[in-house]
Amino acid sequence: MSSEDEDTIRYFTFNANKVVESSYDSFTWLTQSTDYFWALDIVNINHEYEFIHKFVVEYFKDNPEDYLWFDDAEWHYTADDILRLRQRPYNPKWCSEKVI
């Protein structure tokens, strides 16, 4: 890889976690009053919000039961939420507040 390529590399990481009743983790607030089974946690965002948006749209096409939650947010997106968002013009606030 050349140094020119380093400027165009985009990356982030995510964890798709199965929530179990006995675990205490960052998804606990999401699961205490509901029966959510899986959640997708995106980390190391590096300000690549539009890139992540494109990724999660594709992800949720094949994973309609999963949820998207940003660390420390008190809200989440369902697959339906994300797929409805893609029908609208891109909103850069989508990852800092729930816009749908």
Side-chain angles (χ1 to χ4, degrees):
M1 173 174 30
S2 71
S3 60
E4 289 176 19
D5 293 336
E6 291 177 14
D7 292 336
T8 60
I9 293 174
R10 294 185 173 122
Y11 70 92
F12 62 92
T13 58
F14 68 92
N15 301 309
N17 293 326
K18 179 178 180 181
V19 179
V20 293
E21 193 173 317
S22 62
S23 71
Y24 183 84
D25 59 24
S26 58
F27 294 119
T28 301
W29 72 270
L30 180 64
T31 60
Q32 283 177 338
S33 62
T34 60
D35 287 331
Y36 292 145
F37 189 67
W38 289 92
L40 176 66
D41 181 16
I42 293 181
V43 294
N44 299 324
I45 293 173
N46 298 316
H47 305 288
E48 293 290 349
Y49 304 112
E50 191 167 2
F51 175 67
I52 292 169
H53 182 265
K54 291 175 184 177
F55 170 82
V56 296
V57 165
E58 295 303 315
Y59 176 88
F60 282 115
K61 286 179 184 177
D62 292 331
N63 298 282
E65 300 299 317
D66 289 358
Y67 298 84
L68 172 66
W69 173 65
F70 289 94
D71 203 14
D72 296 327
E74 294 184 7
W75 47 267
H76 65 278
Y77 286 110
T78 65
D80 286 340
D81 292 337
I82 295 296
L83 297 176
R84 284 187 310 190
L85 271 178
R86 79 175 175 159
Q87 303 299 322
R88 301 176 179 185
Y90 177 74
N91 182 341
K93 294 182 180 181
W94 79 277
C95 54
S96 60
E97 61 188 66
K98 189 162 183 180
V99 296
I100 195 163

